[in-house]
């Protein structure tokens, strides 16, 4: 049932449920951090936050095929489960759930989830399969673990909004906590995909957060948003990015546009852009 690893690792839903059931019989609360592995300090911060909020923490480690399109990097996505287990143990995790694709999506699997609301636009325009896949795998994980609390990073801000929406819509009894984005010393948001970047691309990538911060300042000062967004778009290209999918400022609560093109409530600036074959996303509060 359990692999030889720095912390217990289970591969099946039955083994996972047996351990969690025993914890709950002892009256222990359970926290969860869903991940796709290739862990970095950003993930470990989520685990530590979950450990503050619950007696036991489960981290899933599963590269979910239903949120990747055929042309995306499912096959190349970095995988390092042995190292991930070591890192999780040091961060206070108690169990890693690392199932196979066959365990999560057995032969004949025929269920999907359609998302609207905060899933529309932005990432939803460029990765239309993503949020349905996220909603499906997270719902499955919540049913399998039945956590009291689950922690997600604000780095994937639209994803966080989507998860909060379907948890409310489906009456799932789990508290969703958003943790601030972890950044390197230059302000670049930590991401498993940063490992794809060359040294030259990494230098360019580290300019993105400054551009977004300046645009946020301009928006908060009352400047009309179309002009702010156009200038940020141009600045990202000038910095060396090859393509900008979007850079927008939206209501922080639900990602809807500001009706009068002026920030008059809590806001978020979000961007998606390409460096070579690597697509980066980032966001920050306005």
């Amino acid at each position: 049932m359990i692999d030889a690893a720095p912390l217990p690792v289970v591969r099946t839903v039955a083994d996972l449920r047996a351990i969690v059931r025993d914890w709950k019989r002892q009256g222990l609360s359970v926290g969860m951090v869903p991940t796709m592995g290739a862990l970095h300090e950003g993930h470990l911060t989520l685990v530590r936050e979950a450990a503050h909020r619950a007696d036991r923490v489960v981290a899933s480690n599963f590269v979910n095929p239903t949120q990747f399109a055929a042309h995306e990097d499912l096959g190349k996505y970095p995988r390092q489960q042995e190292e991930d287990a070591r890192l999780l143990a040091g961060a206070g995790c108690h169990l890693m759930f690392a199932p196979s694709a066959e365990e999560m999506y057995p032969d004949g699997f025929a269920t999907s989830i359609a998302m609207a609301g905060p899933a529309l636009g932005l990432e939803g325009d460029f990765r239309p399969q993503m949020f349905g896949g996220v909603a499906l795998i997270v719902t499955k994980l919540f049913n399998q673990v039945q956590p009291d609390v689950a922690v997600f990073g604000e780095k994937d801000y639209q994803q966080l909004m989507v998860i909060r929406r379907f948890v409310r819509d489906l009456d799932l009894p789990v508290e969703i906590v958003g943790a601030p984005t972890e950044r390197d010393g230059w302000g670049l948001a930590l991401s498993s995909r940063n490992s794809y970047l060359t040294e030259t691309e990494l230098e360019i990538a580290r300019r993105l957060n400054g551009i977004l911060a300046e645009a946020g300042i301009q928006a908060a000062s009352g400047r009309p948003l179309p002009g702010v967004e156009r200038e940020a778009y141009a600045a990202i290209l000038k910095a060396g990015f090859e393509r900008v999918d979007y850079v927008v400022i939206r209501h922080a609560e639900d990602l809807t546009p500001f009706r009068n093109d002026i920030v008059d409530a809590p806001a978020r600036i979000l961007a998606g852009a390409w460096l070579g074959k690597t697509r980066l996303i980032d966001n920050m509060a306005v």
Side-chain angles (χ1 to χ4, degrees):
M1 176 178 76
I2 297 177
D3 296 345
L7 88 164
V9 178
V10 293
R11 307 282 181 186
T12 70
V13 174
D15 290 342
L16 170 69
R17 283 178 167 161
I19 291 175
V20 174
R21 189 161 50 242
D22 183 60
W23 289 343
K24 294 201 170 187
R25 284 194 187 116
Q26 299 174 55
L28 302 173
S29 58
V30 179
M32 183 170 196
V33 179
T35 86
M36 293 205 300
L39 303 183
H40 50 66
E41 183 59 28
H43 297 106
L44 302 182
T45 298
L46 307 183
V47 172
R48 296 185 192 106
E49 180 65 27
H52 284 310
R53 294 170 176 268
D55 301 312
R56 296 290 184 270
V57 178
V58 178
S60 62
N61 189 320
F62 178 65
V63 182
N64 177 36
T66 64
Q67 67 192 71
F68 287 79
H71 66 280
E72 292 183 324
D73 59 343
L74 174 62
K76 295 190 307 176
Y77 196 87
R79 293 164 170 85
Q80 52 179 47
Q81 287 191 0
E82 185 175 345
E83 174 66 6
D84 289 344
R86 185 188 69 80
L87 293 171
L88 288 170
C93 186
H94 300 88
L95 180 68
M96 186 169 90
F97 177 45
S100 66
E102 293 73 22
E103 178 71 12
M104 297 301 279
Y105 300 111
D107 186 46
F109 192 92
T111 299
S112 62
I113 296 178
M115 288 297 307
L120 300 179
L122 308 179
E123 291 297 293
D125 285 343
F126 293 92
R127 302 185 66 196
Q129 78 296 329
M130 178 184 173
F131 291 126
V134 167
L136 181 60
I137 192 63
V138 173
T139 299
K140 283 176 66 70
L141 289 168
F142 286 174
N143 284 334
Q144 292 159 356
V145 177
Q146 297 188 349
D148 300 286
V149 60
V151 184
F152 296 85
E154 290 185 352
K155 191 260 181 184
D156 296 290
Y157 192 81
Q158 187 177 11
Q159 174 178 277
L160 175 61
M161 297 299 102
V162 167
I163 291 167
R164 284 181 169 158
R165 181 73 264 168
F166 75 70
V167 165
R168 288 195 297 268
D169 290 350
L170 300 179
D171 302 313
L172 301 180
V174 54
E175 177 188 2
I176 303 301
V177 174
T181 302
E182 285 292 313
R183 300 180 180 274
D184 70 10
W186 293 266
L188 175 65
L190 299 186
S191 170
S192 300
R193 288 187 171 94
N194 290 353
S195 64
Y196 298 162
L197 299 172
T198 66
E199 285 299 318
T200 299
E201 290 170 341
L202 189 59
E203 182 179 347
I204 295 169
R206 286 171 170 156
R207 300 170 187 166
L208 178 60
N209 73 95
I211 295 170
L212 298 186
E214 176 58 29
I217 291 170
Q218 295 296 317
S221 74
R223 281 194 60 198
L225 295 183
V228 174
E229 293 167 350
R230 282 195 302 271
E231 289 177 11
Y233 189 104
I236 294 171
L237 291 176
K238 185 177 180 181
F241 283 81
E242 295 164 27
R243 187 167 87 243
V244 179
D245 285 344
Y246 61 85
V247 54
V248 298
I249 298 164
R250 298 287 179 84
H251 280 97
E253 183 177 355
D254 57 11
L255 298 181
T256 55
F258 285 89
R259 288 189 176 182
N260 298 318
D261 289 330
I262 297 291
V263 169
D264 57 6
R268 206 88 184 179
I269 182 168
L270 307 99
W274 288 85
L275 271 174
K277 297 181 179 180
T278 306
R279 186 172 184 273
L280 301 178
I281 62 172
D282 200 355
N283 72 88
M284 57 185 63
V286 173

